[in-house]
Amino acid sequence: MTACFRLLILTVVFLVIVVAEQVPACGQGMSVTGVGPVNRGMAGAGTAAPLDAIGALHWNPASISYLERSEVSFGMEGLLADVSLTSDVAGVGTHTTSGEAGVAVVPSVGWVDHLEGTNLTIGLGVYGVAGFRNNMPADPKNPLLANGPLFADTEMLQIVPTISYQINENWSIGVAPTLSAARMMFDPLGPSAITPAMTPGSGNRVHWGGGVQGGIYYASPSCWRAGFTIKSPQWFEEFRFFTPSGVVGFNLDYPLILSSGLAYYGFERWVFAADVRYFDFANTQGFDTLQWKSVFSMAVGAQYRLSDWWTLRGGYNFNENPISSNAAFANVSTPLIQQHNIAAGLGCMLTDGVELNLAYVYLVNNSLTGPLPSPPFSPGDTLTHEISAHSLVLGLRVNY
């Protein structure tokens, strides 16, 4: 790899870090279902199917040993969420207010290099892994918004230097420390799980956390592949909010994630992949206060190489809802209730070793209804969250 190419990679990584500080995302709870255009086109299935650097680095550090060539991949995603909040209050009636979350930009970059003459492969991933944005206007007809607008914005970026060792033709192991940067903004800040006091909105600085992820990968002689990854919690420093009455602190970590996958490469031009994941929200600091449940998710995807120039991808992702109906009001500003995602992707070789990749993901409309607190509301009063989203991803993969 030439010095100019190394400089290009470092420049792109720097730009992604700068842009990703603006990134909200939407996924399994607050976690993304996939990263980069190739993995998103597979609906996030990738623990046992390393199809590009970004997806392999994120879902299984051991799998980067089995990428066909060294590569650098870039992706940029635009995600548009449609969020609404409905109140059904005795004496007032039913009223729905629609929000304007806007388009979120989610960049990603992955670099993987097979060290010549060794069994080692190294890599670096930088991408948004979690977040959300909710922006609801004041609405005098909706008791939940009669006192003013509702805004919430959280983003989390991960930097993942990775090393993988290929033990033999069939097995590899990998490990990666994970450095995470997150920022949260809420208006109003309380009353909420952060503070019981009625407090105006507040943003804060970027807060830092860290953890580690490790994986194992198996490639059988019979065309089956298997992978397993454990991502430790991301332990964050205390989030600090400045308010008129002083500093308010809130402890929030990112959950433990277990991911296992199978893939089949036995049919010419085809790759089939399936993943099952576990997100331990219930035992994670901060999410227990928000009354989130631990959940499972499932992803299935397929890739078909139509010709030497064109590749088709598609997949489906299902997530359990971490927010129960009884916790709907506690999460009035964070309605992260997605369950079904449908994905399609396309790859086109521009030149030898350079591929343009596109993906489209539809977050199928989902809703959640729960009780409003009594008092001040009456028994039987309810609120309903509703959310859907469209996502378009564009990226380049360069092999060398």
Side-chain angles (χ1 to χ4, degrees):
M1 185 168 55
T2 67
C4 289
F5 195 54
R6 288 191 181 95
L7 180 60
L8 173 63
I9 292 173
L10 292 174
T11 301
V12 172
V13 168
F14 173 76
L15 291 174
V16 168
I17 291 174
V18 172
V19 174
E21 290 304 320
Q22 314 296 323
V23 175
C26 189
Q28 295 136 145
M30 67 179 296
S31 306
V32 297
T33 57
V35 288
V38 175
N39 187 241
R40 289 289 268 166
M42 294 284 287
T47 306
L51 300 180
D52 80 323
I54 302 172
L57 287 163
H58 182 58
W59 290 124
N60 190 347
S63 71
I64 65 173
S65 290
Y66 287 85
L67 287 170
E68 293 182 3
R69 298 166 64 182
S70 298
E71 70 170 72
V72 59
S73 296
F74 316 106
M76 191 66 72
E77 177 171 352
L79 187 149
L80 176 62
D82 183 12
V83 184
S84 66
L85 178 63
T86 300
S87 62
D88 186 356
V89 177
V92 178
T94 302
H95 187 78
T96 299
T97 306
S98 297
E100 295 184 10
V103 176
V105 179
V106 186
S108 57
V109 61
W111 166 64
V112 168
D113 188 77
H114 299 298
L115 298 181
E116 188 174 352
T118 75
N119 290 342
L120 293 174
T121 300
I122 59 174
L124 176 66
V126 182
Y127 31 68
V129 296
F132 61 88
R133 178 181 294 157
N134 190 14
N135 185 30
M136 308 294 295
D139 187 348
K141 297 180 180 180
N142 190 330
L144 297 173
L145 298 166
N147 292 328
L150 180 68
F151 178 76
D153 193 357
T154 293
E155 58 265 358
M156 178 176 164
L157 163 77
Q158 240 175 36
I159 304 170
V160 189
T162 302
I163 186 167
S164 176
Y165 179 73
Q166 187 167 349
I167 301 171
N168 53 40
E169 292 183 356
N170 305 114
W171 291 93
S172 65
I173 56 174
V175 66
T178 49
L179 180 64
S180 299
R183 184 174 56 185
M184 297 193 296
M185 294 179 284
F186 297 96
D187 185 12
L189 185 63
S192 67
I194 297 176
T195 175
M198 185 171 292
T199 305
S202 175
N204 59 19
R205 64 174 175 83
V206 171
H207 289 72
W208 293 90
V212 65
Q213 64 184 31
I216 187 168
Y217 191 80
Y218 174 68
S220 77
S222 59
C223 301
W224 283 96
R225 308 283 181 91
F228 176 78
T229 305
I230 179 169
K231 295 174 177 282
S232 78
Q234 298 296 296
W235 294 283
F236 277 91
E237 60 178 315
E238 182 186 58
F239 287 84
R240 290 164 52 84
F241 300 87
F242 293 160
T243 73
S245 58
V247 177
V248 173
F250 184 62
N251 290 305
L252 180 73
D253 294 330
Y254 190 65
L256 168 80
I257 302 172
L258 304 178
S259 183
S260 61
L262 285 174
Y264 186 69
Y265 286 68
F267 298 122
E268 187 178 3
R269 296 182 179 270
W270 283 95
V271 177
F272 298 93
D275 283 9
V276 176
R277 300 191 180 100
Y278 175 73
F279 296 80
D280 191 23
F281 289 112
N283 297 301
T284 302
Q285 185 172 231
F287 289 102
D288 53 356
T289 305
L290 292 167
Q291 305 173 46
W292 281 37
K293 303 179 296 182
S294 297
V295 297
F296 286 93
S297 75
M298 176 271 294
V300 293
Q303 174 179 279
Y304 177 65
R305 190 166 293 280
L306 192 62
S307 68
D308 290 341
W309 294 95
W310 295 96
T311 301
L312 303 177
R313 303 180 187 96
Y316 167 74
N317 179 283
F318 170 78
N319 312 286
E320 291 184 313
N321 184 1
I323 303 173
S324 68
S325 59
N326 288 332
F329 182 75
N331 292 271
V332 66
S333 63
T334 56
L336 299 169
I337 57 172
Q338 69 136 331
Q339 286 193 290
H340 305 278
N341 295 267
I342 301 170
L346 176 68
C348 175
M349 294 299 297
L350 302 179
T351 64
D352 182 31
V354 180
E355 183 181 40
L356 174 69
N357 288 292
L358 298 169
Y360 168 74
V361 182
Y362 173 52
L363 190 160
V364 179
N365 185 278
N366 192 36
S367 62
L368 175 71
T369 299
L372 287 168
S374 175
F377 297 96
S378 302
D381 292 348
T382 63
L383 81 160
T384 298
H385 297 296
E386 190 169 357
I387 185 171
S388 63
H390 301 269
S391 189
L392 185 64
V393 198
L394 172 69
L396 279 177
R397 174 168 59 182
V398 181
N399 296 114
Y400 61 92

